[in-house]
Amino acid sequence: MRVRKAAAALAATVALVAGGIIGGTGQAQAATAPCGGIGEPIDGQPGLTWNGCVYATDGLYFRWHTAGGTVSWNDPLTIALPYRTKVWIYCTLPGPAVTGNYGPTTVWDAVGYYQRPGGPVEWFASYDHAVTTDAWIYTGTSQPVGTTCN
C-alpha cells in the first residue's frame, strides 16, 4: 500500500513538473527573499527603503573602499554581517568577479544603513565606502540597485 501511494505521489509530482516546464509560460520565477523588509521604509530615515539583504548563510564580509575606482581584494576587511541582515545600497562599483546563487557578477554594493536580524538600524560612518559583492546580497533583481559611486 505504501509503495502505491509513493508511486502515485511521484507520478503526480512528475506531471506537475512536466506541465510547468513544457506547458508553462516560459518566464522565470522570482526567488523568495531570504529576509523580510525589502522595499519597506528604514526607521528614522524618511524616503529611504531597504533594498537588499545578506544572502550568504555564513555571513558576509564588507571591505573599506575609497571613493570611486574599482574594488580590490586588497581593500581592507571591516565587518562581517550575518545572514538576513537588511541593507541599504546607495551606489555600486565594479570589482573582482564573484559567483553567488545566481552566477558570477562584477557588481559590488556600497552600503550605508544596515540592520542585523532583531537589531537596531546602524550606519557605516565613514567617508569611504563599505562594500561587498552583489553576488551574496539579495535585491530581487540581477541589475544594480544603486547608481554608480563617485
Side-chain angles (χ1 to χ4, degrees):
M1 186 64 144
R2 285 187 195 179
V3 174
R4 280 191 202 152
K5 285 185 180 180
L10 179 59
T13 302
V14 169
L16 286 173
V17 171
I21 294 170
I22 298 167
T25 63
Q27 296 180 358
Q29 298 298 310
T32 303
C35 61
I38 293 178
E40 293 180 2
I42 300 173
D43 290 341
Q45 303 303 318
L48 299 182
T49 59
W50 297 114
N51 58 5
C53 70
V54 173
Y55 202 27
T57 56
D58 290 335
L60 189 61
Y61 275 101
F62 284 72
R63 296 177 176 276
W64 283 126
H65 180 75
T66 56
T70 301
V71 174
S72 164
W73 292 122
N74 294 324
D75 291 336
L77 294 174
T78 179
I79 190 173
L81 293 177
Y83 179 60
R84 296 186 174 164
T85 295
K86 293 186 284 190
V87 297
W88 174 63
I89 301 163
Y90 61 90
C91 65
T92 61
L93 294 152
V98 176
T99 300
N101 285 341
Y102 302 106
T105 184
T106 57
V107 173
W108 285 63
D109 300 325
V111 171
Y113 293 99
Y114 62 96
Q115 185 177 28
R116 294 177 175 107
V121 174
E122 299 179 68
W123 167 253
F124 282 113
S126 173
Y127 291 104
D128 294 334
H129 301 297
V131 299
T132 194
T133 176
D134 190 67
W136 292 106
I137 297 287
Y138 177 86
T139 61
T141 179
S142 61
Q143 301 301 313
V145 297
T147 61
T148 301
C149 299
N150 295 330

